[in-house]
Amino acid sequence: MGKKSRVKTQKWGTGATAMATPKEMLSLISELLQKCSSAAPPPGQEWAEYIQIRSLVEKIRKKQKGLSVMFEGTRETYFTELMAWAAENGASCEGFEICHFGEEGYGLKATRDIKAEELFLWVPRKMLMTVESAKSSVLGPLYLQDRILQAMGNVTLAFHLLCERANPNSFWQPYIKTLPSEYDTPLYFEEEEVRHLQATQAIQDVFSQYKNTARQYAYFYKVIQTHPSASKLSLKDAFTFDDYRWAVSSVMTRQNQIPTEDGSRVTLALIPLWDMCNHTNGLITTGYNLEDDRCECVALQDYKKDDQIYIFYGTRSNAEFVIHNGFFYEANAHDRVKIKLGVSKSERLYAMKAEVLARAGIPSSSIFALHGADPPMSAQLLAFLRVFCMTEEELKDYLVGDHAINKIFTLGNAELPVSWENEIKLWTFLETRAALLLKTYRSTSENDRSLLEQPELSFRARVAIQLRLAEKQILEHAVRCGRARREHFQRQLEEGAPLPRCQESSISLLENSHPESGLPLSLHHLDEADGALEGLAGAEPGDGLLLNGAVTMENGDGTPHEVEQSAKRTGDEAVENTMYGSGTDTSIRSFP
């Protein structure tokens, strides 16, 4: 994005900005670690806790001003060196060049016509920064001693990046010099910019991201200052919060999973050059070729000379893009709003409903998703709501009798309602629930549109408001669809229209279509948001990005976070809660 890069500055106590002694700094760090390791605040107090943590971090940042290791000049100064380094080490460098694309920032531009599915970009393993290369680096001794590094590959990669950045002779210097000097992830948001995210579904993740990053910084600050295995790390002289925030964001927007050399497992990696590609809708076109031991990317579509070359980051919502990548993608075909639903265990019909759902392969309590499409729900959510709204007699039809198991296979089929009354109930429920969620926002869609017209709005504030508006638009669409469907099925009921019935032969076909699956066909291909997501991790707007990084799973609140070790909130154990995660599933695959 052309922002100023870094210049090397003084160490502790050597400049006018060195306002704290190591002892004073250690006291502040201890206070931060204690605050970030405390129990989660009660509902409604998350903002207050965020402000308290942020205040402590700002105190630390003020006293650390001028202590980071930086590079001179702007990042574009080093693009020529990056391309030469890539060519020297076996990467493809013909057919494209790095170019600036206005608001999208830097990306790859075709220097010749490229056909769809043509292999145009490959990067050999030796150029990648991986957890394995970290183990073989100066970080290795500390890695062998610190269980947090061992458990969290993304943290290891962040420290690997910091150590190599501080080493002027590092093999990866040509790559590191071209990374942005700062990002647009929420870790960089000003307080007022974060306020725009209040009431959005992203806000809890933003709070967690900031708290966990601060906690990990405080923990590793102490480790670097006191652990014998950290004595040779250059970070011992100057390890600032800004350093860690930069490394976290670099990894968060770029980390990807690749196979290890023997193909037996996966490891995290940063993939130079390739991470310049920007995102568009499409399909995953990148894989890992184990035979040639390199990451390979084929063209998503035909590109003419001078076109920007895009890749598909994956089926990520805009909330995920904002939290983990620092941008909002307006044309996102996979945007969604999460909705948590469950059958109350105190309900009289709970056992029957839970059993029908279990037979359909659906949990009795889960995180689902609403979309901007019509209908605004997946087959899984439709099936859940049908069971949720069933009467006792309807439940019996799906539990007992010769055709009960066959009927399970129709639950997610929009063309085969349980009854007109059931359809009316479920669409009424959806309309009401979406309307209630809309009321939790502190501004209207009209207010947001007006704000977005203000020319002085910062990029980050604009991203936050765009996300807020997009969530409302999905919910407003759900309200309209719910109302229209409710009215339609009400007319069907009043007119005495016959219910569509599934023929036995059709049911047989459904069952035989997926003999390996215990799920009905209608529920077999679930919406991405309702199961494990696949795809690429994104980058900030100007730096594209690649394959997805961290395997993620959904927490109890449905928000995506990297798979983490359970931990107590004391000492180093508290740090095991991850602060970032840019991917969702293993998306780099070996080519046949």
Side-chain angles (χ1 to χ4, degrees), residues 276-325:
M276 295 301 300
C277 292
N278 285 312
H279 167 77
T280 191
N281 290 319
L283 300 171
I284 295 173
T285 56
T286 306
Y288 199 88
N289 186 328
L290 277 174
E291 183 176 351
D292 293 329
D293 203 20
R294 67 187 189 182
C295 180
E296 297 182 344
C297 183
V298 299
L300 180 62
Q301 61 192 53
D302 287 341
Y303 292 108
K304 297 293 185 183
K305 184 177 181 295
D306 295 330
D307 283 350
Q308 182 176 180
I309 301 171
Y310 291 96
I311 60 175
F312 177 56
Y313 294 1
T315 56
R316 310 201 77 189
S317 69
N318 272 318
E320 290 169 318
F321 277 139
V322 170
I323 294 165
H324 303 304
N325 309 120

Side-chain angles (χ1 to χ4, degrees), residues 352-360 387 390 395 398-399 408 411:
M352 296 178 72
K353 291 182 178 181
E355 178 60 26
V356 174
L357 288 169
R359 293 185 185 186
V387 177
M390 280 184 186
L395 288 165
Y398 287 79
L399 288 172
I408 293 291
L411 279 172

Side-chain angles (χ1 to χ4, degrees), residues 252 255 316 324 533 535-537 548-552 560 581-585:
M252 179 164 56
Q255 62 180 352
R316 310 201 77 189
H324 303 304
L533 302 178
L536 303 172
N548 77 352
V551 175
T552 68
S582 73
T584 50
D585 198 2

Side-chain angles (χ1 to χ4, degrees), residues 511-585:
E511 290 176 314
N512 293 330
S513 295
H514 281 278
E516 80 284 0
S517 173
L519 292 177
L521 177 65
S522 59
L523 305 182
H524 189 76
H525 296 292
L526 301 181
D527 184 89
E528 296 91 342
D530 298 331
L533 302 178
E534 286 190 334
L536 303 172
E540 70 157 335
D543 298 291
L545 237 103
L546 16 153
L547 297 188
N548 77 352
V551 175
T552 68
M553 61 191 301
E554 297 208 334
N555 290 336
D557 61 354
T559 54
H561 278 291
E562 183 184 350
V563 176
E564 60 194 24
Q565 303 292 322
S566 60
K568 299 179 182 178
R569 298 263 177 185
T570 57
D572 61 349
E573 292 179 332
V575 191
E576 290 190 12
N577 290 294
T578 185
M579 72 301 188
Y580 58 93
S582 73
T584 50
D585 198 2

Side-chain angles (χ1 to χ4, degrees), residues 23 79 117 123 152-153 159 209 299 304 335 359 372 396-397 427 435 549 581 588:
K23 184 177 181 180
F79 286 155
E117 300 185 7
V123 184
M152 299 178 65
F159 275 99
Q209 184 186 68
K304 297 293 185 183
D335 205 9
R359 293 185 185 186
K396 288 179 181 178
D397 287 342
W427 289 106
I588 296 190

